[in-house]
Amino acid sequence: MATMNISLPDELKEFIDQQVAEHSFMTSSEYIRSLVRKAHAVAKLRALVQEGLESGPTIPMDEAWFEGKRARIRQAIKKAG
Protein backbone atom coordinates (compact mmCIF):
# COMPACT_ATOMS: atom_id res chain seq x y z
CA MET A 1 0.00 0.00 0.00
CA ALA A 2 1.33 3.43 -0.91
CA THR A 3 1.71 6.16 1.66
CA MET A 4 0.68 9.77 1.14
CA ASN A 5 1.24 12.62 3.55
CA ILE A 6 -1.05 15.65 3.46
CA SER A 7 -1.08 18.95 5.26
CA LEU A 8 -4.36 20.31 6.59
CA PRO A 9 -5.41 23.44 8.41
CA ASP A 10 -6.18 22.77 12.07
CA GLU A 11 -9.91 23.23 11.45
CA LEU A 12 -9.99 20.41 8.89
CA LYS A 13 -7.84 18.14 11.07
CA GLU A 14 -10.28 18.66 13.94
CA PHE A 15 -13.20 17.92 11.62
CA ILE A 16 -11.59 14.66 10.50
CA ASP A 17 -10.89 13.66 14.09
CA GLN A 18 -14.54 14.34 14.91
CA GLN A 19 -15.74 12.25 11.96
CA VAL A 20 -13.48 9.37 12.98
CA ALA A 21 -14.94 9.40 16.48
CA GLU A 22 -18.57 9.84 15.42
CA HIS A 23 -18.58 7.22 12.67
CA SER A 24 -16.50 4.50 14.34
CA PHE A 25 -13.50 4.68 12.06
CA MET A 26 -10.35 3.27 13.62
CA THR A 27 -8.03 5.93 12.19
CA SER A 28 -8.09 9.12 10.19
CA SER A 29 -6.49 7.18 7.33
CA GLU A 30 -9.45 4.81 7.28
CA TYR A 31 -11.83 7.79 7.12
CA ILE A 32 -9.89 9.42 4.26
CA ARG A 33 -9.75 6.11 2.36
CA SER A 34 -13.54 5.80 2.64
CA LEU A 35 -13.97 9.30 1.18
CA VAL A 36 -11.59 8.53 -1.68
CA ARG A 37 -13.38 5.23 -2.40
CA LYS A 38 -16.72 7.05 -2.58
CA ALA A 39 -15.30 9.72 -4.89
CA HIS A 40 -13.75 7.01 -7.06
CA ALA A 41 -17.08 5.16 -7.30
CA VAL A 42 -18.86 8.39 -8.28
CA ALA A 43 -16.25 9.07 -10.98
CA LYS A 44 -16.65 5.54 -12.37
CA LEU A 45 -20.45 5.88 -12.39
CA ARG A 46 -20.26 9.22 -14.18
CA ALA A 47 -17.94 7.68 -16.79
CA LEU A 48 -20.40 4.82 -17.35
CA VAL A 49 -23.30 7.25 -17.69
CA GLN A 50 -21.30 9.31 -20.19
CA GLU A 51 -20.42 6.16 -22.11
CA GLY A 52 -24.11 5.28 -22.25
CA LEU A 53 -25.04 8.73 -23.46
CA GLU A 54 -22.47 8.49 -26.24
CA SER A 55 -23.39 4.92 -27.25
CA GLY A 56 -25.97 5.86 -29.82
CA PRO A 57 -29.67 6.37 -30.14
CA THR A 58 -31.94 5.07 -27.43
CA ILE A 59 -34.90 2.76 -27.70
CA PRO A 60 -37.96 2.90 -25.46
CA MET A 61 -37.85 0.13 -22.86
CA ASP A 62 -41.51 0.05 -22.03
CA GLU A 63 -43.76 -2.91 -21.20
CA ALA A 64 -44.08 -3.84 -24.89
CA TRP A 65 -40.29 -4.03 -25.22
CA PHE A 66 -40.01 -6.29 -22.17
CA GLU A 67 -42.87 -8.50 -23.37
CA GLY A 68 -41.09 -8.92 -26.70
CA LYS A 69 -37.95 -9.99 -24.84
CA ARG A 70 -39.96 -12.48 -22.76
CA ALA A 71 -41.59 -13.92 -25.89
CA ARG A 72 -38.21 -14.41 -27.58
CA ILE A 73 -36.84 -16.14 -24.47
CA ARG A 74 -39.88 -18.43 -24.29
CA GLN A 75 -39.40 -19.34 -27.98
CA ALA A 76 -35.70 -20.05 -27.46
CA ILE A 77 -36.51 -22.30 -24.49
CA LYS A 78 -39.09 -24.23 -26.56
CA LYS A 79 -36.58 -24.73 -29.40
CA ALA A 80 -33.86 -25.86 -26.98
CA GLY A 81 -36.17 -28.19 -25.03
Side-chain angles (χ1 to χ4, degrees):
M1 182 179 301
T3 300
M4 177 184 287
N5 295 314
I6 60 170
S7 298
L8 297 171
D10 290 338
E11 180 182 352
L12 290 180
K13 170 68 169 89
E14 291 169 11
F15 174 77
I16 290 172
D17 290 341
Q18 179 183 13
Q19 295 302 300
V20 169
E22 288 179 10
H23 299 285
S24 302
F25 290 100
M26 297 299 289
T27 64
S28 57
S29 291
E30 187 179 300
Y31 173 69
I32 297 297
R33 279 192 297 272
S34 75
L35 294 177
V36 172
R37 282 187 200 105
K38 287 176 187 174
H40 186 242
V42 167
K44 286 171 56 175
L45 180 58
R46 284 184 177 149
L48 288 171
V49 168
Q50 188 62 40
E51 181 182 332
L53 290 171
E54 295 170 356
S55 68
T58 62
I59 59 170
M61 295 178 69
D62 54 11
E63 186 56 37
W65 184 87
F66 282 105
E67 187 50 47
K69 284 285 190 190
R70 288 185 206 100
R72 286 190 291 277
I73 291 170
R74 285 191 290 270
Q75 287 175 349
I77 291 170
K78 284 181 183 179
K79 286 181 184 179

